[in-house]
Amino acid sequence: MKTLLITFSLFVGFAAIAQDNFSGISTSNRVGILNATINPAEFSNLSKKFEINFYGLSFDVSNNKIGFNDLISDTNLEDLIFKGTESVNMRIDGQILGPSFAMKWKKWGFGITTKANVKFDVVDVDTTLGNAIFNNDLPLNTSVLNQSENQRLSGTSFGEVGFSASRNVFENDNHRWDVGVTLKFLFPGSYSNFGLSNLNGTITQNASGAFLTTNQPANLNVAYSGSLADSFSNFNDYTQSVFGGLNGVATDIGVTYQWKDGKEKYKIKGGLSVRNIGSMTFKDDNNYNTNYTFTTQGRPPLNLNLFENVDNLSEVEAILISNGYLTQIPNKTDFKVNLPTLLTMYADFKIVPKVYVTGYLQQKMKKDDGNEQITSRNIFSVTPRVNLGFFEAYLPVSTDDISGTNVGFGFRLSGFYLGSNSIITSLTDGKQANIYTGFRYAFL
């Protein structure tokens, strides 16, 4: 499992010169497909009659432990990640917005979008347990564990194709209302989850290694499907099977309001949407999903050093079963995974002509601790921007529940865009790093 930390280090090292998922550009008053991915009602607000998206790429890393200065220091990352008592949380998100098309016709807007998603998450991992597994040179001692939360390592890759429609339902000289819906067909590729909850016991470290003794049975879920059944620590494990078979649907719904300032402009535009209402089912020859009771009672303490070089969940499972800590046989079965349902609200204010400020709020509607739940983040941001038509520049300032406060920068030159919501803080000591870029063409 130590390769997980190496992989994470590589991800952060790459992303530190980069950024996050289309923050800033997706709320631009130059309305296009990117705007409609956060609110389908925006399809009837397109700035042009037609738009073609050629590509959009986004990569984001967030954590609550490691900053940019830590990457260039001589301190081992394993020591920094598991420092202190706060549980470890990390999110790695990659997104590809593929060939897509949108059009506006009379009071209607329509869109067809394609997207690929890759995620790896570390959720509420106890620092004492992490230190015992990854750091072999700790002093001799005995540590108490009492972690009721579900500690998760989770990886997901899936594709989606969306069909959207929106309509202007009311408009006069001063006000405009639009509503929209997107139906997304989901293509699950691969999935892995290791979830350990209600862990109560002690870890004893001595010259022979680190040993775990449980005071009571804990709950353990091990699930894997597709390429992540064989390995979950390398980036190509996630990308080699992003699109699987059609096995899920999800829905986005949204509404927008404009307080108008002239025929085609507004003083204020607001939007409200609920996204990712749905789930997908993983079906594969490698499918396994088993809920175990984990205990060391009646057995010798578990030697945590057995997991040092493990890079797939089936190996973890085999070690625990062979040593008698799990008694149930792994179950080969299809299983359902829930998408991260999000409530999104935003408002764009025109300060003076060509200068705007956008407030954005994203609130997750499901907790991240469920074993069959894809994670998400709570985000609030304020983005001032200057839009000259062919050129736009913006400065997103955001805060989220994983990495804290971040400051970024981005620009658009005609249909090309490049940006980050954390480049400024990443180059100081921020705990988020990301980059996004893309090109689209709008006409008529």
Side-chain angles (χ1 to χ4, degrees):
M1 293 177 72
K2 200 162 189 172
T3 50
L4 281 175
L5 275 297
I6 297 172
T7 302
F8 175 74
S9 304
L10 293 175
F11 277 143
V12 175
F14 169 77
I17 59 172
Q19 322 291 253
D20 182 14
N21 285 352
F22 308 113
S23 176
I25 190 68
S26 61
T27 53
S28 169
N29 60 310
R30 184 277 192 207
V31 179
I33 290 174
L34 281 176
N35 302 68
T37 60
I38 65 171
N39 189 338
E42 296 285 12
F43 276 110
S44 51
N45 293 320
L46 293 174
S47 296
K48 299 288 186 177
K49 288 185 178 180
F50 301 96
E51 180 171 288
I52 300 172
N53 182 81
F54 291 94
Y55 74 92
L57 305 173
S58 174
F59 187 80
D60 174 79
V61 176
S62 299
N63 79 100
N64 65 337
K65 293 286 186 174
I66 301 175
F68 181 81
N69 291 340
D70 297 323
L71 296 176
I72 58 178
S73 71
D74 295 330
T75 308
N76 291 329
L77 289 181
E78 290 90 344
D79 295 336
L80 295 171
I81 290 172
F82 299 112
K83 182 179 179 180
T85 59
E86 183 183 7
S87 297
V88 180
N89 280 279
M90 303 178 187
R91 306 289 188 269
I92 299 175
D93 296 277
Q95 191 177 101
I96 301 173
L97 183 61
S100 304
F101 174 76
M103 64 175 289
K104 183 171 60 174
W105 179 71
K106 296 184 178 180
K107 292 187 176 183
W108 290 87
F110 301 96
I112 301 175
T113 56
T114 63
K115 190 184 297 183
N117 303 274
V118 177
K119 290 177 62 64
F120 174 71
D121 302 311
V122 178
V123 181
D124 292 332
V125 172
D126 187 276
T127 54
T128 301
L129 180 61
N131 268 317
I133 295 175
F134 295 110
N135 298 325
N136 297 323
D137 56 351
L138 294 175
L140 307 183
N141 62 21
T142 298
S143 302
V144 176
L145 288 175
N146 188 15
Q147 179 71 288
S148 60
E149 289 81 5
N150 192 21
Q151 305 177 62
R152 299 181 63 201
L153 301 178
S154 179
T156 315
S157 65
F158 66 98
E160 61 183 70
V161 177
F163 297 89
S164 305
S166 66
R167 179 178 168 81
N168 168 236
V169 293
F170 175 81
E171 184 173 17
N172 60 21
D173 292 339
N174 298 313
H175 307 284
R176 175 185 172 109
W177 290 87
D178 297 84
V179 296
V181 62
T182 295
L183 179 63
K184 297 187 285 191
F185 294 93
L186 307 177
F187 299 83
S190 54
Y191 184 76
S192 68
N193 184 74
F194 182 92
L196 181 63
S197 61
N198 296 319
L199 180 61
N200 183 286
T202 57
I203 294 178
T204 302
Q205 292 161 321
N206 55 42
S208 301
F211 298 88
L212 170 64
T213 301
T214 60
N215 296 330
Q216 63 185 34
N219 302 316
L220 174 64
N221 174 264
V222 179
Y224 42 87
S225 177
S227 60
L228 295 185
D230 302 318
S231 178
F232 58 87
S233 62
N234 297 311
F235 185 68
N236 61 352
D237 299 329
Y238 297 81
T239 59
Q240 65 180 326
S241 60
V242 174
F243 270 84
L246 174 59
N247 276 305
V249 293
T251 302
D252 299 349
I253 56 175
V255 58
T256 61
Y257 164 76
Q258 296 181 38
W259 180 17
K260 297 170 60 178
D261 179 18
K263 185 176 179 181
E264 298 294 336
K265 301 182 183 300
Y266 58 80
K267 300 177 183 178
I268 300 173
K269 183 177 76 171
L272 172 70
S273 66
V274 181
R275 295 182 283 151
N276 297 328
I277 308 170
S279 62
M280 54 189 169
T281 301
F282 283 84
K283 298 182 179 181
D284 190 86
D285 292 339
N286 276 341
N287 256 38
Y288 284 90
N289 182 21
T290 310
N291 291 311
Y292 295 102
T293 296
F294 166 69
T295 181
T296 65
Q297 301 302 305
R299 305 291 302 173
L302 171 61
N303 185 353
L304 297 175
N305 300 120
L306 294 173
F307 304 110
E308 184 175 352
N309 296 312
V310 172
D311 70 346
N312 67 76
L313 294 183
S314 58
E315 278 191 65
V316 175
E317 202 171 26
I319 290 172
L320 293 174
I321 292 174
S322 64
N323 286 279
Y325 302 111
L326 307 176
T327 56
Q328 186 175 345
I329 302 300
N331 294 326
K332 187 171 185 177
T333 180
D334 300 336
F335 55 90
K336 183 174 71 173
V337 174
N338 298 311
L339 265 63
T341 303
L342 301 171
L343 173 66
T344 300
M345 295 182 287
Y346 57 91
D348 190 36
F349 301 86
K350 184 173 77 172
I351 307 303
V352 295
K354 304 186 184 306
V355 177
Y356 297 79
V357 174
T358 304
Y360 175 87
L361 175 67
Q362 174 180 294
Q363 177 68 43
K364 59 187 176 185
M365 301 182 70
K366 298 178 180 179
K367 293 183 178 180
D368 292 335
D369 58 353
N371 286 314
E372 295 178 347
Q373 177 64 52
I374 297 176
T375 68
S376 57
R377 286 179 294 165
N378 295 326
I379 301 172
F380 175 73
S381 68
V382 175
T383 305
R385 73 180 73 247
V386 175
N387 190 341
L388 303 179
F390 71 96
F391 177 78
E392 178 179 0
Y394 47 90
L395 190 77
V397 180
S398 64
T399 182
D400 66 66
D401 56 350
I402 299 296
S403 61
T405 300
N406 298 282
V407 181
F409 174 76
F411 72 91
R412 174 184 60 83
L413 182 62
S414 189
F416 173 78
Y417 57 89
L418 175 66
S420 166
N421 72 343
S422 64
I423 184 63
I424 295 176
T425 45
S426 292
L427 294 177
T428 54
D429 198 28
K431 294 181 174 59
Q432 183 185 55
N434 66 333
I435 187 168
Y436 60 81
T437 184
F439 180 75
R440 66 265 180 93
Y441 176 64
F443 54 99
L444 296 183

